[in-house]
Amino acid sequence: MTAALYLARSEVSVAMVEKLSPGGQMLMTHLIENYPGFPEGIEGWKLADAMAAHLDHYAVDRIGDEVSALESVDGVHRLTIGEDVVEAKAVVLCSGARYKRGGHPR
Ligand SMILES: Cc1cc2nc3c(=O)[nH]c(=O)nc-3n(C[C@H](O)[C@H](O)[C@H](O)COP(=O)(O)OP(=O)(O)OC[C@H]3O[C@@H](n4cnc5c(N)ncnc54)[C@H](O)[C@@H]3O)c2cc1C
């Protein structure tokens, strides 16, 4: 959402693709205590909602689907999003991270 916000403010045509809900891991966090500006902490979903509402002020095309493939040929990036193929001049990947599992038996 931050990347989309910056680009939209620079008048770049932006589409933001999110397969779940905007906010990512923030939505799994009860209380975020290290985000500047919220000395008492803020619930993850509230911060995610505030960021999503901020984005509403800009012309960002929001696509609620999964990117299943990305192919780059001669400076054109082709993304498979659901059943569609979308072309873009540039792609910003913000797909997060997965926790490394310890491999211990449960
Ligand atoms: C329980 C918990 C508590 C935490 N507490 C804190 C805290 O208090 N303070 C702190 O600083 N950090 C905390 N973190 C870590 C913090 O949430 C992450 O570092 C941060 O959310 C990473 O942001 P991100 O945008 O890079 O990735 P993510 O939040 O993981 O977002 C990536 C997004 O990309 C989407 N996506 C991925 N692949 C695709 C695809 N192929 N197509 C479409 N969409 C896709 C996902 O659906 C996801 O919404 C916590 C994490 C957890 C799980």
Side-chain angles (χ1 to χ4, degrees), residues 50-94:
M51 288 186 188
H54 197 160
L55 220 51
D56 287 341
H57 294 271
Y58 299 94
V60 173
D61 186 11
R62 296 192 200 184
I63 303 171
D65 215 328
E66 181 170 19
V67 178
S68 58
L70 167 60
E71 185 183 55
S72 301
V73 179
D74 296 333
V76 177
H77 307 288
R78 278 191 196 90
L79 299 104
T80 306
I81 304 170
E83 301 287 308
D84 299 320
V85 175
V86 173
E87 291 190 349
K89 286 185 191 163
V91 177
V92 181
L93 289 176
C94 307

Side-chain angles (χ1 to χ4, degrees), residues 17-21 23-26 28-29 31-34 65-67 94-97 99:
V17 189
E18 167 59 65
K19 65 179 177 177
L20 298 173
S21 296
Q25 292 178 54
M26 265 192 292
M28 293 188 267
T29 308
L31 193 66
I32 297 173
E33 294 180 299
N34 59 344
D65 215 328
E66 181 170 19
V67 178
C94 307
S95 52
Y99 287 94

Side-chain angles (χ1 to χ4, degrees), residues 23-49 51:
Q25 292 178 54
M26 265 192 292
L27 297 171
M28 293 188 267
T29 308
H30 170 58
L31 193 66
I32 297 173
E33 294 180 299
N34 59 344
Y35 196 78
F38 298 94
E40 308 302 327
I42 180 167
E43 283 117 311
W45 69 268
K46 275 192 187 167
L47 187 56
D49 269 12
M51 288 186 188

